[in-house]
Amino acid sequence: MSLTPVSAGFLPLVDAAPFIIARELGFAAEEGLDLSLTRAPSWSALRDLLAFGSVDAAHMLSAVPVAASLGIGGIRMPIDALMMTSQGGEMLAVSRPVARRMRDAGYGFDFADVPAARAALGAERLRIGIPFALSLHVELLRRAFGDALDLRTVPPPQMAEALDAGEIDAFIVGEPWASMAVERGKAELLLPGTAIWRGAPEKVLAMRRDRAEGAPDLTARLMRAVWRSCRWLEHPANRLPASEILARHIDVPPEVIERIMAHRLVISPEGEERRAPQFLQFFDGCATFPWRSQATWIGTRLAARHGLDIAAARDTAMSVFRTDLYRRNLGPAGADLPAASSRLEGAVTEPSLHPAAAGRVMLLPDPFFDGAVFDPDELPAPLSPPWAGSRPLT
């Protein structure tokens, strides 16, 4: 059988697994696709590869399609998030000198208490590495620690080197790069992003809208291949083979990847471990469903910082998360379909059944650390500019 070529870009992160596994285990081929993968050096480079047609699809930060569709960040182009490919998976790490000061002050690195971590960091203005200015990483930092942050853009694989060179004091990044900084004796893990927002929508399958809608059969087949990959990845028995496959694409030891996928994190070079519930979700709890309320949370925050019309931005953001394509293409494949496409974000406090298009679906906890609930029908006030205190390393 002749396979249809399709290309996807990715960054070397554990949460690129749905794309890598779709190719390596044949899920794409079973859909009649010859899936080729292009490894990008940074999120800005990957965004540009997608925007200018060098790749058909991408493993992408959830905020990037929203930002591009709003014209924020130098590109104005309709880019859609066809489905979520992972929730969580990001980690905040600090340098060893900062960690020592925190431990001396009595902080126990409990992986759970955001206000205690903020208090232990004190009033010192830390230089914090971020992978991309238009990312959920930044919004999580601002949600937990306020807007007075000194942010420096660093490509994910280079975080440990930037820390070691004294260019930053801390960083937030998708795994495995925080764990690898610990392995190299350069950092300690402070908080998982899921301690700030348990249900944080981290990565998506992104396509330009003209490509997604202009080739609907290819789009459907690619979505099914990636969705099947997400389902395979969620099974604990598949962690070891997945880790060995990913190690070849990410260039880190498979045992580090396996710990991350099992939500067991080594937080210091001395070998301390912590568990992080729901640290990285690929499938369970409707993890692949592109909730329009999550797009609204991202879009209204971006608009409020950039001085855009917030109500218009909300409508644009909701159109970016393609629940319509998800329902059309993945419902027949067996995907769980919630009855509604938006919800109150942060309102699920324990695993529970919720109305579905047919029957009920299980949703996992998604609280914010402060107990707040986001109503997508309520618009936020203007926020501080996103670029304040934020710049790339040179």
Side-chain angles (χ1 to χ4, degrees), residues 217-232:
D217 181 62
L218 181 144
T219 299
R221 286 188 282 160
L222 181 59
M223 289 179 70
R224 286 195 298 267
V226 173
W227 178 80
R228 292 175 62 198
S229 181
C230 290
R231 182 175 60 183
W232 183 88

Side-chain angles (χ1 to χ4, degrees), residues 15 86-90 194 198-203 278-281:
D15 59 26
S86 63
Q87 292 181 350
E90 63 282 292
T194 47
R198 181 75 69 88
E202 182 55 34
K203 301 299 190 309
Q278 292 177 231
F279 174 65
L280 177 58
Q281 297 290 136

